[in-house]
Amino acid sequence: MILWKSLSCFSFVFGLLLYSASFVSAGDIVHHDDSLPQRPGCNNNFVLVKVPTRVNGSEYTEFVGVGARFGPTLESKEKHATLIKLAIADPPDCCSTPKNKLTGEVILVHRGKCSFTTKTKVAEAAGASAILIINNSTDLFKMVCEKGENVLDITIPVVMLPVDAGRSLEDIVKSNSLVTLQLYSPKRPAVDVAEVFLWLMAVGTILCASYWSAWTVREEAIEQDKLLKDGSDELLQLSTTSSRGVVEVTVISAILFVVVASCFLIMLYKLMSFWFIEVLVVLFCIGGVEGLQTCLVALLSCFRWFRRFGESYLKVPILGAVSYLTLAICPFCIAFAVFWAVKRQYSYAWIGQDILGISLIITVLQIVRVPNLKVGFVLLSCAFMYDIFWVFVSKWWFRESVMIVVARGDRSGEDGIPMLLKIPRMFDPWGGYSIIGFGDIILPGLLVTFALRYDWLANKRLKSGYFLGTMSAYGLGLLITYIALNLMDGHGQPALLYIVPFILGTLFVLGHKRGDLKTLWTTGEPDRPCPHVRLQPQSS
């Protein structure tokens, strides 16, 4: 099992290296770009536009485009959007007056040598009610005004479509079919239920992991106390066994985390491809199998009948001593992970990803531990700066947010990386997912689990301890993250930007107020019986 735990830790670290920013992946509905020219008549937000189409009266498909900086705003509801006939421009770029006579149609044009505003004015003068511009690539281009152009008199909507959508419509019209369409830009709801469930999922995961970690440490401490009082020779053996597989974070490793994470992030940003995502899927499955297996074994061991199998071991080559219960559960966990990997593009795959992800996070929070507040402060502070730099500051050098590009899996042909929890947005007309990265749960979770272990070993009650404060701080920080997401129209937000100040601030304030700050900072968990000291029974 040591091999499996090593692989699990490796996949956990890889997940943290890749992603710790929390953002909504449905695609931004409102785009703000202050670097592009804005002036009266040319100051619209860049909005995504739905273009449902009909061919000869029958529903065909729905395309998505982007609105221009200029022109009138579009309807937000489909029922208010007018059904209009589509016509093809002649000449195709609409840089000169169309040869075909227009009577209120939507005109479909190609990008050419003239500006977007010139095309629009020509189309409007020819009698078009709206203009669809076909981009020369599958991306959507932000259409702005050229310097010195007068756009105050533009009164028809302007929408750009990707090249594949535009050519599809063009081919249908050329086949003498009647194509009609609507143009509207629905607004995203202020709050989606998915965000509430995701908040509960993240908080619940840390809650379960904290109590499991604290219970394990307290049981070890109680057992050591008993053996120490009895002067048993089993004390040293018990201490060695119980600490096996536990990794304590140090100040140096916390600092190195940011350096190594940044190097990996740059490498993935530069080399991102379909095969990179496939490698990440394999790593995620390895960690997910170990996590799911560990959680199921612990859960089933609570029942007396399964406990016997959990305490009976069999020697397995390479893996070492493995319990019969683990051997029985392992095939199921592997099959579950493989099924998810094969079906991960399906709409229901998020359920399997969340199950594997939560299991992995809980297992990691048992393996990796923060020994004191000093290490926790360094780790979260470094992660705080890491998030801010790669989400916001990196735009100055790379012209895009490196963290968000890597997390979404841009240029890879896949729908994002697997190292995150996600839930479909239920009432969002644009669909998509509300997501949160593993790092936004694991890194704060390390300090929350430390707080509960400290409380239990120091015999502190819930109100006088530090777990309730740090758990509440995490929940509040994550809640503010989602509020910020909605206030900023879905733009990616680093959750640690809000979570870290709340958690660290709570521990420092409560520790100073209760006189435990020095102990929390240096000593951390209260002293437990020293395994190297054996009490000799006194003679009468």
Side-chain angles (χ1 to χ4, degrees):
M1 297 306 293
I2 296 176
L3 174 63
W4 276 106
K5 288 186 180 295
S6 300
L7 291 172
S8 177
C9 280
F10 177 72
S11 60
F12 144 69
V13 172
F14 215 79
L16 291 187
L17 298 180
L18 290 173
Y19 187 73
S20 60
S22 174
F23 64 98
V24 178
S25 65
D28 296 340
I29 303 305
V30 181
H31 301 262
H32 302 282
D33 194 337
D34 296 331
S35 64
L36 298 174
Q38 295 187 50
R39 56 180 181 275
C42 189
N43 55 3
N44 293 345
N45 293 324
F46 295 108
V47 296
L48 293 179
V49 180
K50 288 195 174 188
V51 187
T53 58
R54 292 173 175 267
V55 177
N56 296 327
S58 301
E59 290 186 4
Y60 176 57
T61 189
E62 183 177 82
F63 301 105
V64 175
V66 63
R69 179 77 85 186
F70 49 89
T73 56
L74 292 166
E75 290 287 347
S76 61
K77 295 183 178 180
E78 184 177 9
K79 63 181 180 181
H80 296 154
T82 306
L83 194 65
I84 314 172
K85 181 182 176 182
L86 180 66
I88 298 177
D90 183 17
D93 60 5
C94 200
C95 290
S96 58
T97 304
K99 297 177 183 178
N100 48 334
K101 191 175 288 186
L102 301 175
T103 55
E105 292 90 348
V106 175
I107 190 169
L108 185 66
V109 308
H110 288 265
R111 288 186 65 177
K113 296 182 180 179
C114 60
S115 66
F116 297 119
T117 52
T118 300
K119 294 176 188 291
T120 305
K121 287 185 176 182
V122 170
E124 185 177 13
S129 61
I131 179 171
L132 291 180
I133 301 177
I134 304 174
N135 196 16
N136 50 21
S137 68
T138 56
D139 298 326
L140 292 174
F141 187 83
K142 291 182 177 180
M143 297 179 288
V144 298
C145 313
E146 299 292 336
K147 290 183 178 180
E149 287 184 325
N150 180 20
V151 293
L152 291 174
D153 54 347
I154 292 179
T155 60
I156 63 173
V158 186
V159 177
M160 174 170 283
L161 292 177
V163 62
D164 50 353
R167 286 177 179 172
S168 175
L169 289 174
E170 193 175 35
D171 291 340
I172 295 173
V173 174
K174 286 181 178 179
S175 67
N176 296 321
S177 298
L178 174 63
V179 178
T180 54
L181 52 81
Q182 295 170 285
L183 301 174
Y184 69 105
S185 180
K187 296 179 180 179
R188 169 175 286 150
V191 178
D192 193 89
V193 179
E195 294 172 357
V196 177
F197 283 112
L198 196 63
W199 184 89
L200 292 172
M201 189 184 296
V203 171
T205 299
I206 292 183
L207 195 66
C208 293
S210 298
Y211 273 96
W212 188 8
S213 177
W215 179 83
T216 302
V217 172
R218 188 175 68 170
E219 289 297 308
E220 291 175 3
I222 292 173
E223 190 66 25
Q224 287 185 8
D225 279 339
K226 289 180 180 178
L227 295 175
L228 186 62
K229 290 177 181 178
D230 296 338
S232 174
D233 291 325
E234 298 178 5
L235 182 58
L236 181 59
Q237 181 181 355
L238 175 67
S239 177
T240 304
T241 303
S242 62
S243 62
R244 185 189 304 163
V246 174
V247 179
E248 281 200 351
V249 183
T250 63
V251 172
I252 295 177
S253 62
I255 297 173
L256 286 177
F257 164 77
V258 176
V259 178
V260 177
S262 299
C263 293
F264 268 94
L265 198 64
I266 287 291
M267 181 188 71
L268 291 170
Y269 174 74
K270 294 294 184 180
L271 304 177
M272 178 62 69
S273 65
F274 171 78
W275 294 108
F276 259 97
I277 297 295
E278 293 299 306
V279 171
L280 297 182
V281 168
V282 172
L283 290 174
F284 174 72
C285 287
I286 293 173
V289 167
E290 170 62 22
L292 185 60
Q293 177 182 275
T294 302
C295 292
L296 288 177
V297 168
L299 184 63
L300 292 175
S301 295
C302 297
F303 300 95
R304 184 177 302 175
W305 192 81
F306 289 104
R307 192 179 305 160
R308 292 183 301 168
F309 294 97
E311 295 173 351
S312 302
Y313 291 86
L314 177 69
K315 268 198 170 183
V316 178
I318 301 177
L319 298 179
V322 182
S323 69
Y324 285 99
L325 183 58
T326 300
L327 288 175
I329 290 175
C330 187
F332 166 77
C333 298
I334 293 175
F336 186 89
V338 171
F339 179 80
W340 170 83
V342 173
K343 301 288 187 179
R344 68 182 185 277
Q345 301 295 343
Y346 285 67
S347 59
Y348 55 79
W350 64 273
I351 300 174
Q353 181 169 325
D354 287 351
I355 291 173
L356 292 172
I358 290 173
S359 302
L360 175 58
I361 291 171
I362 292 175
T363 301
V364 167
L365 290 175
Q366 310 310 307
I367 299 172
V368 183
R369 294 179 182 175
V370 169
N372 51 49
L373 180 56
K374 178 182 178 181
V375 174
F377 173 80
V378 174
L379 178 63
L380 289 188
S381 298
C382 289
F384 176 82
M385 293 183 288
Y386 171 83
D387 253 17
I388 292 176
F389 181 85
W390 290 112
V391 173
F392 296 126
V393 183
S394 62
K395 293 180 181 179
W396 298 345
W397 280 277
F398 301 93
R399 298 183 180 179
E400 57 187 352
S401 173
V402 172
M403 177 78 79
I404 293 178
V405 169
V406 171
R408 289 191 309 220
D410 291 1
R411 301 187 297 272
S412 68
E414 292 272 350
D415 185 21
I417 65 173
M419 279 74 174
L420 47 85
L421 304 181
K422 63 182 187 179
I423 297 180
R425 294 178 64 82
M426 302 175 188
F427 300 104
D428 193 330
W430 294 99
Y433 294 88
S434 289
I435 63 179
I436 184 171
F438 285 1
D440 297 329
I441 302 176
I442 293 176
L443 293 174
L446 290 172
L447 208 55
V448 176
T449 54
F450 159 75
L452 187 58
R453 288 197 306 270
Y454 177 87
D455 288 351
W456 281 24
L457 292 173
N459 294 320
K460 288 183 175 290
R461 294 187 177 182
L462 190 63
K463 291 184 178 180
S464 61
Y466 297 94
F467 171 71
L468 181 61
T470 53
M471 191 72 249
S472 302
Y474 176 79
L476 182 59
L478 187 58
L479 177 63
I480 292 177
T481 301
Y482 283 109
I483 293 175
L485 276 170
N486 289 297
L487 291 177
M488 298 180 185
D489 301 303
H491 283 267
Q493 293 294 303
L496 297 182
L497 172 65
Y498 309 94
I499 294 173
V500 170
F502 275 96
I503 289 184
L504 291 179
T506 299
L507 276 173
F508 276 106
V509 170
L510 291 179
H512 176 74
K513 183 179 179 181
R514 297 169 182 173
D516 296 328
L517 187 57
K518 186 176 180 180
T519 303
L520 289 168
W521 182 260
T522 56
T523 307
E525 297 174 10
D527 292 334
R528 286 178 286 174
C530 179
H532 303 290
V533 178
R534 179 184 174 191
L535 296 180
Q536 298 290 344
Q538 296 180 355
S539 58
S540 56

